[in-house]
Amino acid sequence: MAEEAPAGAFYGSIPVFRVDDVLVTAAYYRDVLGFEIDFVYGEPPSYASVSRDDAVLNFTHARAPDWRDGGMGVDALIVVADAHAVFHEMGERGANIIRPLVDQPTGMSDFVIEDCNKYRIAIAEQTE
């Protein structure tokens, strides 16, 4: 039986690039750089993920400066085993949580923090 990850375990981080056209960028990474398109989200598309082996990159629309404008508006995404546990831990430590934990239609539960340099980081758990 596989060992279950402890609550709050971090799996890795994913850079999120702001781009002018999410579809064109995802297609470039697929056709020119050999990545697979994992998903494209939104209508019109405002977020996408590509991967090749263990490398994963995400793209958000450049005109989406924050999560209210149709994109995640973050600089990185960290995937964790239990977003609820990490949310409470970081809150207790005084993290600047700029968007509380929510269940997304993409099958993720996530929240967004802003670090001491104003970088925005989404902490997310795959729920579906």
Side-chain angles (χ1 to χ4, degrees), residues 13-26 37-50 56-62 64 66-67 69-79 99 104 106 108 110 112 120-124:
S13 64
I14 301 169
V16 180
F17 298 148
R18 293 176 193 234
V19 299
D20 290 329
D21 190 313
V22 169
L23 283 179
V24 167
T25 303
I37 297 175
D38 299 319
F39 67 82
V40 176
Y41 177 75
E43 189 55 50
S46 60
Y47 201 84
S49 179
V50 298
V56 179
L57 300 172
N58 283 191
F59 310 114
T60 190
H61 196 278
D66 69 32
W67 58 273
D69 294 324
M72 285 190 66
V74 298
D75 301 296
L77 171 74
I78 297 176
V79 181
R99 186 176 50 75
Q104 299 291 351
T106 58
M108 302 285 279
D110 64 17
V112 177
R120 292 182 174 191
I121 303 166
I123 310 294

